[in-house]
Amino acid sequence: MVVMTIVSAVGLLVDDRVLAGAAIWAKPFKFAVSFVVYALALAWMLTLLTRGRRIGRWAGTVVAVASLVEMAIITGQVVRGKRSHFNHATPFDSALFDAMAVTVVVLWAGTLVIAVLLLRARIPDRAAAWAIRSGVVLALVGAGLGFLMTQPTEEQRAAGDLDTADVIGGHAVGVPDGGPSMPFTGWSTTGGDLRVPHFVGMHALQLLPLLLMTLVALAPRFARLRDPRVRLRLVLVASAAYAALTALVTWQALRGQPLVHPDGATLAAAALIVAATAAGTYGALRPSPAPGPDPSGAPEQPSSPSAKESVS
């Protein structure tokens, strides 16, 4: 995927072809970059397994092979000058898209196996455990939201003849694909775009563990963050806020509303999420009460290993 990132970047520079309103090499470039960070995160998480390591290795291999097949199809269609997604123009194009649909299901299932193994893993630091498990579960939700794009749009249903249509499904909601869009991401600026919740959800896999690593890195400078209970509460607040954000952008996209042009209802919901997150963060940072003496007279147990030890 690193190699394909470079190849696609060169393609963006030397190939001026445009497909569906975007540079033809933009899709393989974005997919390659996404697969790089996705695979790195999963590979790191596999090192944390305490049980089922062999199953985890097989699941990781399945994810890698499925990603490779999907990337090969996307790149092959770019070379041919054809759409890779939602393309039913010819039996061959339709077969390629169906093959990609299978690879996505296989990739999702492989990630699910890894998620189950992580839920069963004994990760000493509770904050690390919640960051990793929340991240992988939200990533599965985000990946699953991608299946919404494969359904016929309202315009396609209204036009009829779905059995003979060249394109079935799409990213945009309420407007055709290929219209005015945001720079680089290509997300629609005139209608809803299902790629937004798909992107937000999937990248919880990296962002929530990165948040924990940031808290651990800042702990030497901020005494409050040295308390593992404070870090745990902050991770729980962040996980809830991230889940709420994913739900919000999904709701916004399904209503045919551009990310950059939210209406009053969306802004009000966003304000509630921000307020709840701020209140949760304030509460999470409060000092933890000092443990009192054990009434039984038993000696105090040593604290659990630090988050840095758990994630290093």
Side-chain angles (χ1 to χ4, degrees), residues 52-77:
R53 287 180 177 269
R54 179 175 297 180
I55 297 174
R57 284 196 295 269
W58 276 108
T61 302
V62 166
V63 169
V65 172
S67 305
L68 177 63
V69 172
E70 183 174 6
M71 198 67 191
I73 294 174
I74 292 172
T75 306
Q77 288 292 75

Side-chain angles (χ1 to χ4, degrees), residues 41 44-45 48 127-128 130-136 203-216 235 311:
W44 168 68
M45 289 180 180
L48 304 178
W130 271 98
I132 292 163
R133 291 164 181 168
S134 298
V136 73
H203 287 288
L205 189 73
Q206 298 88 31
L207 294 178
L208 289 176
L210 281 174
L211 168 66
L212 174 65
M213 293 179 183
T214 302
L215 295 177
V216 172
V235 167
V311 300

Side-chain angles (χ1 to χ4, degrees), residues 209-230:
L210 281 174
L211 168 66
L212 174 65
M213 293 179 183
T214 302
L215 295 177
V216 172
L218 293 174
R221 297 182 60 186
F222 300 95
R224 195 68 56 81
L225 296 180
R226 296 171 200 161
D227 188 339
R229 292 167 293 183
V230 171

Side-chain angles (χ1 to χ4, degrees), residues 154-172:
E154 292 183 4
E155 294 79 7
Q156 291 165 355
R157 290 194 182 95
D161 299 324
L162 291 177
D163 292 336
T164 59
D166 290 347
V167 176
I168 301 177
H171 306 124

Side-chain angles (χ1 to χ4, degrees), residues 10-304:
V10 172
L12 285 169
L13 294 174
V14 303
D15 191 341
D16 60 0
R17 289 179 296 166
V18 174
L19 184 64
I24 199 167
W25 283 97
K27 178 164 287 186
F29 177 80
K30 289 187 286 187
F31 268 71
V33 172
S34 181
F35 276 136
V36 167
V37 296
Y38 190 81
L40 283 173
L42 278 185
W44 168 68
M45 289 180 180
L46 284 171
T47 67
L48 304 178
L49 296 182
T50 55
R51 291 182 288 182
R53 287 180 177 269
R54 179 175 297 180
I55 297 174
R57 284 196 295 269
W58 276 108
T61 302
V62 166
V63 169
V65 172
S67 305
L68 177 63
V69 172
E70 183 174 6
M71 198 67 191
I73 294 174
I74 292 172
T75 306
Q77 288 292 75
V78 166
V79 173
R80 296 178 64 230
K82 305 292 184 181
R83 294 179 62 133
S84 55
H85 288 70
F86 323 121
N87 190 351
H88 296 272
T90 68
F92 181 66
D93 291 322
S94 184
L96 288 178
F97 180 59
D98 290 342
M100 276 202 303
V102 172
T103 64
V104 171
V105 172
V106 171
L107 190 153
W108 191 90
T111 305
L112 175 62
V113 171
I114 295 172
V116 172
L117 293 174
L118 287 169
L119 289 173
R120 298 177 65 242
R122 295 176 180 175
I123 301 174
D125 185 77
R126 293 177 65 198
W130 271 98
I132 292 163
R133 291 164 181 168
S134 298
V136 73
V137 169
L138 285 170
L140 283 169
V141 172
L145 291 172
F147 291 106
L148 294 173
M149 304 180 204
T150 63
Q151 303 303 308
T153 65
E154 292 183 4
E155 294 79 7
Q156 291 165 355
R157 290 194 182 95
D161 299 324
L162 291 177
D163 292 336
T164 59
D166 290 347
V167 176
I168 301 177
H171 306 124
V173 178
V175 295
D177 280 353
S181 61
M182 296 171 59
F184 185 70
T185 63
W187 298 339
S188 176
T189 56
T190 57
D193 201 311
L194 294 168
R195 288 173 293 187
V196 178
H198 182 58
F199 175 89
V200 171
M202 286 194 65
H203 287 288
L205 189 73
Q206 298 88 31
L207 294 178
L208 289 176
L210 281 174
L211 168 66
L212 174 65
M213 293 179 183
T214 302
L215 295 177
V216 172
L218 293 174
R221 297 182 60 186
F222 300 95
R224 195 68 56 81
L225 296 180
R226 296 171 200 161
D227 188 339
R229 292 167 293 183
V230 171
R231 293 196 298 268
L232 172 61
R233 292 196 293 261
L234 288 172
V235 167
L236 291 175
V237 170
S239 299
Y242 205 101
L245 174 63
T246 304
L248 175 63
V249 294
T250 303
W251 178 56
Q252 183 182 15
L254 289 173
R255 289 187 295 133
Q257 186 180 118
L259 178 68
V260 294
H261 298 297
D263 63 7
T266 301
L267 290 173
L272 286 174
I273 293 173
V274 170
T277 303
T281 302
Y282 176 80
L285 287 171
R286 71 186 188 280
S288 299
D294 191 330
S296 65
E300 183 179 346
Q301 297 298 317
S303 60
S304 62

